[in-house]
Amino acid sequence: AIKRLLHMHPEALFKVVSDKAPVFKTLPSDQVIYEPWSPDREGAVLHEFTVGVMPLEDDLWARGKCSFKMLTYMAAGLPVVVSPVGMNVEILAQKPCGFGAKTPDDWVDAISCLLSEPALAAEMGRKGREIIEQRYARSVIAPQLAQLLKEQL
């Protein structure tokens, strides 16, 4: 899907941020950028993205995963394209903050749509940020956690 997408959008770059550089045999090297992950650069790097992606297999392990990567993208105001697995489904249902993608065609169509329609991408990014501020921000979660701890003591 990424290879097709990069072919369709020769201006696009696929940026990978991780602990070690990936080896892609079929992606055009001039469209792939690798940056080592670091906590000091994470926020700045996310603001260089246009779309946040979170592909997952639909298996028992993935269904139990938190949507932390998706939430991180949304906190940065990015539209997301994610596998509709586990908690990702719940978050996608809250507001139109991105797309769920199951098939390679879904991934290509969703990311291509966001690259081709910057106003839609920006609106989805704003909706995602709203979700974070309303449901997942520290100012929202901390009082809930404190109440739960009080109830247990």
Side-chain angles (χ1 to χ4, degrees):
I2 297 298
K3 181 179 177 181
R4 260 187 16 210
L5 187 71
L6 292 175
H7 179 73
M8 289 170 57
H9 297 273
E11 76 289 354
L13 299 172
F14 182 58
K15 186 164 196 167
V16 178
V17 181
S18 67
D19 62 336
K20 63 180 182 175
V23 177
F24 296 117
K25 295 179 181 177
T26 62
L27 296 183
S29 60
D30 61 330
Q31 286 181 273
V32 177
I33 298 171
Y34 165 69
E35 180 163 336
W37 181 87
S38 86
D40 297 334
R41 285 266 310 135
E42 184 176 31
V45 168
L46 289 176
H47 289 300
E48 297 169 3
F49 286 17
T50 304
V51 177
V53 298
M54 184 181 175
L56 292 170
E57 294 291 328
D58 188 359
D59 58 22
L60 198 56
W61 181 80
R63 282 182 230 134
K65 272 182 72 87
C66 169
S67 299
F68 185 74
K69 184 178 285 192
M70 179 182 184
L71 295 170
T72 302
Y73 292 142
M74 292 164 56
L78 292 169
V80 295
V81 180
V82 300
S83 297
V85 174
M87 190 177 161
N88 289 1
V89 176
E90 176 186 324
I91 295 169
L92 284 171
Q94 292 178 36
K95 289 185 181 181
C97 60
F99 297 107
K102 291 182 180 180
T103 68
D105 286 343
D106 292 344
W107 284 94
V108 170
D109 292 346
I111 296 170
S112 187
C113 173
L114 293 170
L115 293 176
S116 300
E117 298 183 39
L120 174 64
E123 179 62 21
M124 287 184 159
R126 280 191 293 280
K127 296 288 186 191
R129 179 69 190 181
E130 286 175 12
I131 292 169
I132 296 299
E133 291 171 355
Q134 294 168 357
R135 307 238 2 224
Y136 300 100
R138 187 180 319 155
S139 60
V140 174
I141 298 296
Q144 294 172 357
L145 180 58
Q147 183 61 39
L148 286 171
L149 292 173
K150 283 181 187 177
E151 292 170 5
Q152 298 302 314
L153 298 178

